[in-house]
């Protein structure tokens, strides 16, 4: 039996070959060798951007082996154990050769394979020498093959033993050009586009989409390196990402959105928010879920391990705001820690795994290399100029490039904000071109995740244009993205007030909840949730008819996460007397619906929001609500379950609600006994 390795999880230039099982039958082993050699020979139809000579020579030698294996199958039915041992060694070597050829022909890995030319050539040489060693100890006379084939194999053994497998001169020249360009970036000189085009032409990277795939592949390699704890390649990989990002933004005039949709799936660039949004639980430095959140002097929160690394490296400014820290004291953020634990329990996220894979600060706050830093800065300035002075096509492409760059890490966002990209992006929101408008608002969404980005958007009068897109966007996607942008802008207390004071904001969000797509509804609900942290926005939402709209969404949606977010907003509104009254007046079925959701919703957070709503209704509309709840026999079981298994906040609400119901039942029992005694007294008098 031949065991197979899952190739989907293999890193490039790693060859985890699997040995054939002990006791394998000769026929099974030969069939596997023949199939493996045929698969390798099929690589002759694939293009190799580099290592062409080495690949060609390897394929020639494997084709001879393929003939040899077929000859053994036809003319040597009985094979000794020593021959099986040699063939097993060849099987392992052929697996590794297949991996190596696959990497050299891999789509998206052309630049990396070129820059590792010496390593790859050494691998070719080592594997071919291994083939020669296996053939050297193989007893050809004992196999019983024809003289012709025997001579062919002997010739192959001699050639494999002496194979040089060196780096091709053209590969060497192209590698030197790349190094020269990277050196120019390091010294803060913008390189000659002609030289870069020569390298891209040599590697057959001819389109925007091919360049984008190269960047995506390099980013995946960096993530895999951090995950495996191997960060040695990060500087080279980061430098190549900077170079290719510069090429994608500056040298390629056209861009292909379909490339993104095919690789990531349609809508992957459209951000969908959550009231328990994992982005809010990620450390701004490592971008991983925080396991031990602490707050610094500026009020920003980071994971303890990441901020301690930042401080130990001599940085005494806040990574997010850039303000100098008055103190290096770290205050544990216990409330946020509980929320993170709740989120992880709710969605099955392992905090231990997140902590293990926590990335270094250089992954996000700092550039991976000096060349990467300079390339991104040059690119940011170029894109900002294109936004201001380019044609409509160039402006739309520049906005899309910013959208991709800002998605990667904090350093890219900082460069784009510093280059002044936000004011021209805001001007594009008024565009009549739907694509340009969507690209602009999506770029602003990514930049609004930075405090400096939020500040720049507000200072440049960006709130009204974003609200205009929310209300009158050319596409539903643009309106959805605008709602997400409002969510991030509302993360600052002062901005919540300003956003809520705009008369169009809350009605526009409610309109999106009523008429938008599923994702649009979700983003609008969460944006509304963020605004309600300012108490006067609660009154504005109630006056605008938020309660009826949200209750309607509860009835119409069949998605648990949408119901959970909707319940979160309703629990905020129910805190006020007017909100509770509106819930009771909106529909006779409002209270039964909330009870049904308490018993039936899959998410624990949803159950906790239901209890919070019921608690507020009892406090604000007790006479109308408590008698109904007291008649529900299943309610106490659900409440006691939350007391033992829910969060501390939900447990307090559940205990309070239990006390209210017990008090009502005791009072009712006392009243009934008193009435009974009065009736008995009247009977005696009679």
């Amino acid at each position: 039996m031949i065991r197979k390795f899952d190739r989907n999880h293999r890193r490039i230039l790693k060859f985890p070959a699997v040995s054939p099982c002990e006791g394998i039958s000769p026929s099974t082993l030969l069939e596997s060798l023949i199939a493996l050699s045929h698969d390798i020979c099929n690589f002759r139809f694939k293009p190799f951007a580099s290592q062409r000579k080495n690949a060609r020579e390897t394929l020639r030698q494997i084709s001879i082996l393929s003939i040899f294996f077929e000859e053994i199958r036809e003319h040597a039915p009985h094979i000794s154990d020593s021959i099986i041992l040699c063939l097993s060694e060849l099987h392992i070597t052929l697996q590794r050769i297949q991996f190596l050829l696959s990497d050299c022909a891999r789509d998206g890995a052309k630049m990396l394979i070129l820059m590792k030319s010496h390593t790859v050539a050494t691998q070719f040489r080592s594997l071919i020498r291994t083939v020669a060693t296996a053939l050297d100890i193989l007893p050809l006379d004992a196999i019983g093959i024809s003289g012709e084939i025997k001579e062919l194999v002997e010739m192959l053994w001699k050639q494999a033993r002496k194979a040089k497998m060196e780096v091709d001169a053209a590969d060497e020249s192209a590698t030197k050009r790349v190094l020269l360009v990277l050196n120019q970036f390091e010294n803060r000189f913008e390189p000659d586009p002609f030289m870069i085009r020569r390298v891209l032409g040599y590697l057959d990277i001819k389109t925007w989409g091919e360049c984008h795939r190269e960047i995506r592949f390099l980013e995946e390699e960096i993530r895999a390196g951090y995950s495996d704890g191997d960060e040695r390649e990060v500087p080279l990989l980061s430098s190549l990402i900077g170079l290719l990002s510069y090429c994608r933004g500056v040298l390629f005039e056209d861009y292909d959105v379909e490339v993104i949709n095919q690789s990531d799936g349609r809508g992957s660039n459209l951000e969908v928010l959550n009231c328990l949004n994992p982005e809010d639980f990620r450390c701004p430095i490592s971008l991983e879920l925080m396991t031990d959140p602490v707050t610094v002097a500026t009020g920003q929160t980071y994971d303890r391990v990441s901020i301690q690394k930042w401080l130990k490296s001599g940085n005494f400014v806040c990574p997010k705001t850039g303000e100098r820290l008055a103190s290096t004291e770290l205050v544990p953020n216990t409330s946020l820690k509980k929320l993170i634990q709740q989120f992880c329990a709710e969605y099955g996220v392992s905090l231990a795994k997140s902590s293990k894979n926590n990335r270094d600060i250089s992954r996000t706050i700092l550039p991976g290399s000096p060349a990467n830093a300079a390339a991104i800065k040059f690119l940011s300035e170029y894109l900002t100029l294109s936004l201001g002075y380019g044609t409509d096509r160039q402006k739309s492409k520049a906005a899309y490039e910013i959208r991709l760059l800002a998605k990667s890490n904090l350093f890219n966002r900082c460069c784009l904000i510093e280059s002044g990209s936000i004011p021209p992006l805001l001007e594009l929101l008024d565009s009549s071109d739907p694509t340009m408008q969507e690209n602009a608002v999506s770029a602003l969404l990514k930049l609004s995740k930075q405090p400096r980005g939020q500040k720049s958007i507000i200072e440049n009068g960006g709130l009204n244009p974003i609200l205009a897109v929310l209300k009158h966007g050319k596409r539903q996607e643009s309106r959805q993205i605008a709602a997400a942008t409002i969510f991030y802008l509302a993360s600052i207390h002062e901005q919540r007030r300003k956003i809520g004071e705009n008369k169009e904001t809350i009605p526009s969000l409610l309109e999106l909840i009523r008429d938008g797509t599923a994702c649009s509804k979700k983003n609008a609900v969460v944006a509304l949730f963020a605004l309600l942290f300012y108490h006067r926005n609660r009154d504005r939402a109630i006056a605008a008819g938020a309660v009826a709209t949200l209750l309607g969404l509860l009835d119409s949606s069949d998605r648990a996460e949408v119901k959970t977010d909707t319940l979160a907003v309703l629990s905020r509104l129910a805190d006020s007397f007017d909100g509770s009254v509106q819930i009771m007046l909106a529909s006779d079925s409002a209270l039964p619906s909330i009870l049904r959701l308490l018993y039936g919703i899959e998410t624990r957070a949803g159950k906790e929001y239901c209890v919070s709503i019921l608690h507020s209704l009892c406090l604000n509309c007790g006479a109308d609500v408590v008698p109904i709840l007291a008649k529900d026999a299943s309610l106490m079981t659900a409440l006691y379950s939350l007391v033992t298994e829910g969060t501390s906040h939900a447990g307090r609400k559940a205990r309070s609600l239990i006390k209210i119901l017990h008090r009502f039942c005791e009072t009712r029992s006392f009243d009934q006994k008193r009435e009974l005694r009065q009736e008995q007294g009247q009977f005696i008098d009679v």
Side-chain angles (χ1 to χ4, degrees):
M1 178 181 177
I2 304 295
R3 292 169 292 182
K4 293 188 177 180
F5 176 79
D6 185 3
R7 288 170 167 76
N8 295 327
H9 298 93
R10 183 182 66 87
R11 289 190 63 191
I12 195 166
L13 299 182
K14 303 290 183 185
F15 313 131
V18 178
S19 302
C21 298
E22 292 184 13
I24 187 172
S25 68
S27 59
T28 302
L29 180 58
L30 279 171
E31 289 297 335
S32 181
L33 280 167
I34 291 168
L36 190 54
S37 59
H38 286 172
D39 288 343
I40 292 172
C41 290
N42 286 335
F43 277 100
R44 67 181 182 272
F45 301 113
K46 295 187 177 182
F48 291 87
S50 58
Q51 300 291 332
R52 297 181 183 93
K53 288 184 179 179
N54 291 338
R56 194 161 52 242
E57 174 61 20
T58 300
L59 289 171
R60 186 187 68 80
Q61 295 192 19
I62 300 303
S63 65
I64 296 174
L65 280 178
S66 178
I67 297 170
F68 173 52
F69 296 145
E70 290 176 356
E71 180 78 5
I72 297 175
R73 182 180 62 179
E74 292 175 9
H75 299 97
H78 303 292
I79 300 175
S80 65
D81 291 342
S82 61
I83 296 173
I84 290 177
L85 184 61
C86 293
L87 293 179
S88 296
E89 289 299 317
L90 282 173
H91 191 280
I92 295 171
T93 305
L94 290 187
Q95 288 180 68
R96 290 174 175 155
I97 289 173
Q98 185 182 29
F99 283 139
L100 181 57
L101 290 169
S102 176
D103 289 340
C104 291
R106 188 169 180 171
D107 188 27
K110 296 175 182 177
M111 182 66 80
L112 183 58
I113 292 295
L114 175 68
M115 298 309 294
K116 288 181 166 290
S117 292
H118 288 276
T119 301
V120 175
T122 301
Q123 292 283 3
F124 272 115
R125 183 165 55 252
S126 174
L127 291 171
I128 291 301
R129 296 277 171 84
T130 304
V131 170
T133 302
L135 293 176
D136 187 30
I137 61 175
L138 185 67
L140 291 176
D141 294 332
I143 297 178
I145 56 175
S146 65
E148 259 180 42
I149 299 298
K150 183 179 178 182
E151 287 179 8
L152 199 60
V153 173
E154 288 174 345
M155 179 191 71
L156 171 62
W157 167 70
K158 292 177 183 178
Q159 292 176 347
R161 193 161 55 92
K162 297 179 181 179
K164 291 184 178 180
M165 297 293 181
E166 297 176 343
V167 177
D168 187 77
D171 289 353
E172 188 76 55
S173 178
T175 303
K176 289 179 179 177
R177 288 195 191 97
V178 175
L179 291 173
L180 179 59
V181 170
L182 295 180
N183 186 57
Q184 288 177 325
F185 274 129
E186 283 187 24
N187 292 301
R188 300 180 183 179
F189 291 111
E190 202 158 4
D192 180 7
F194 176 73
M195 184 179 293
I196 301 177
R197 289 185 189 278
R198 284 188 67 182
V199 174
L200 295 178
Y202 179 77
L203 294 175
D204 203 31
I205 301 174
K206 296 179 179 178
T207 65
W208 184 95
E210 290 170 343
C211 190
H212 177 72
R213 280 191 287 271
E214 294 282 322
I215 296 169
R216 282 289 310 278
F217 173 76
L218 292 169
E219 289 174 341
E220 288 169 7
E221 280 298 298
I222 287 182
R223 282 193 289 270
Y226 277 111
S227 178
D228 296 343
D230 182 9
E231 303 172 18
R232 292 172 296 175
E233 299 289 333
V234 169
L236 172 63
L237 297 172
S238 297
S239 297
L240 296 179
I241 288 174
L243 167 61
L244 289 166
S245 297
Y246 178 86
C247 295
R248 186 184 65 188
V250 176
L251 301 184
F252 292 103
E253 295 182 0
D254 294 322
Y255 69 103
D256 188 1
V257 178
E258 289 303 315
V259 171
I260 309 294
N261 294 339
Q262 289 169 9
S263 61
D264 297 344
R266 177 72 181 121
S268 63
N269 284 305
L270 302 179
E271 189 146 339
V272 181
L273 304 174
N274 195 300
C275 286
L276 284 178
N277 188 16
E279 290 301 321
D280 302 329
F281 302 149
R282 295 186 186 279
C283 174
I285 295 176
S286 67
L287 296 188
E288 296 291 344
L289 284 178
M290 290 183 278
T291 55
D292 186 10
V294 293
T295 303
V296 297
T298 58
Q300 300 296 330
T301 301
Y302 305 91
D303 199 25
R304 184 183 292 277
V305 174
S306 299
I307 193 63
Q308 283 178 340
K309 281 185 182 180
W310 175 261
L311 295 172
K312 284 179 182 178
S313 62
N315 299 297
F316 297 101
V317 296
C318 177
K320 277 191 82 172
T321 64
E323 299 175 37
R324 188 160 189 84
L325 295 172
S327 166
T328 57
E329 183 182 2
L330 304 177
V331 180
N333 192 331
T334 53
S335 299
L336 181 59
K337 188 173 184 178
K338 289 177 182 177
L339 279 174
I340 294 171
Q341 291 170 344
Q342 176 188 340
F343 172 81
C344 292
E346 190 65 55
Y347 293 95
V349 178
S350 171
L351 268 177
K353 183 178 179 182
S354 175
S355 178
K356 182 180 177 182
N357 294 338
N358 207 355
R359 290 170 279 182
D360 190 75
I361 57 176
S362 61
R363 172 72 182 92
T364 54
I365 293 288
L366 303 175
S369 69
N372 174 275
I376 296 300
K377 286 178 181 177
F378 280 128
L379 176 57
S380 299
E381 292 168 1
Y382 174 84
L383 294 175
T384 301
L385 288 173
S386 297
L387 287 174
Y389 303 103
T391 63
D392 285 350
R393 178 69 179 172
Q394 290 170 335
K395 289 179 180 179
S396 184
K397 179 182 180 293
Y400 195 77
E401 291 289 344
I402 292 172
R403 180 178 180 174
L404 294 177
L405 272 179
K407 187 179 180 181
S408 300
N409 56 47
L410 288 173
F411 177 76
N412 290 359
R413 292 177 200 163
C414 290
C415 288
L416 291 163
I417 293 167
E418 288 173 3
S419 68
S421 62
I422 286 179
L425 281 171
L426 290 171
E427 292 180 7
L428 297 186
L429 294 181
D430 194 33
S431 172
S432 58
D433 180 0
T435 300
M436 185 184 293
Q437 186 184 70
E438 182 183 335
N439 287 339
V441 73
S442 184
L444 287 166
L445 166 62
K446 301 296 188 292
L447 298 178
S448 70
K449 297 179 182 181
Q450 282 286 96
R452 279 186 287 178
Q454 296 164 359
K455 183 179 178 182
S456 180
I457 289 172
I458 298 299
E459 287 179 350
N460 286 282
L463 181 56
N464 287 333
I466 292 170
L467 289 174
V469 175
L470 174 66
K471 190 169 179 62
H472 305 293
K474 306 294 181 186
R475 291 175 178 165
Q476 276 289 340
E477 290 84 355
S478 299
R479 299 179 66 193
Q480 172 188 333
I481 297 166
T485 308
I486 288 172
F487 168 79
Y488 285 106
L489 292 177
S491 63
I492 302 172
H493 175 74
E494 183 60 26
Q495 302 310 327
R496 286 187 210 124
R497 182 181 63 80
K498 290 182 179 179
I499 295 170
E501 285 175 351
N502 188 302
K503 296 180 180 179
E504 295 290 328
T505 305
I506 292 175
S508 297
L509 289 172
L510 294 176
E511 182 183 341
L512 195 58
I513 292 171
R514 287 191 293 267
D515 305 328
T517 61
C519 293
S520 299
K521 292 175 189 286
K522 198 170 190 306
N523 278 6
V525 167
V526 178
L528 184 60
F529 180 79
L531 290 174
L532 295 183
F533 280 92
Y534 180 63
H535 65 282
R536 290 188 180 174
N537 287 340
R538 222 177 298 174
D539 300 332
R540 295 184 180 109
I542 293 168
V547 170
T549 301
L550 293 168
L551 289 173
L553 181 59
L554 274 183
D555 292 336
S556 62
S557 177
D558 56 356
R559 296 171 60 185
E561 65 271 20
V562 174
K563 289 179 181 290
T564 300
D565 292 340
T566 306
L567 289 167
V569 181
L570 282 170
S571 72
R572 281 263 165 202
L573 296 175
D575 283 343
S576 70
F577 176 79
D578 290 340
S580 293
V581 170
Q582 286 296 317
I583 290 174
M584 295 303 295
L585 293 176
S587 170
D588 293 337
S589 61
L591 191 56
S593 295
I594 294 167
L595 285 169
R596 281 196 302 272
L597 285 169
L598 173 61
Y599 306 141
I601 196 166
E602 298 90 339
T603 64
R604 190 176 67 186
K607 294 180 185 295
E608 293 180 356
Y609 290 133
C610 285
V611 169
S612 179
I613 294 169
L614 295 175
H615 182 261
S616 297
L617 291 177
C618 287
L619 294 179
N620 296 319
C621 308
D624 297 324
V625 177
V626 177
I628 299 174
L629 298 183
K631 294 177 183 178
D632 195 315
S634 304
L635 180 57
M636 282 298 179
T637 304
L639 293 177
Y640 279 117
S641 175
L642 278 178
V643 168
T644 56
E645 299 175 6
T647 62
S648 58
H649 179 72
R652 285 195 301 271
K653 290 285 181 82
R655 280 192 294 270
S656 178
L657 188 52
I658 290 170
K659 288 179 182 178
I660 291 171
L661 294 174
H662 276 317
R663 194 180 304 122
F664 171 80
C665 291
E666 289 171 359
T667 304
R668 184 177 60 178
S669 176
F670 177 77
D671 290 342
Q672 287 174 345
K673 288 178 181 178
R674 186 174 59 185
E675 289 175 5
L676 181 60
R677 283 198 298 270
Q678 288 175 350
E679 289 177 1
Q680 288 174 343
Q682 291 172 359
F683 177 75
I684 292 171
D685 291 340
V686 171

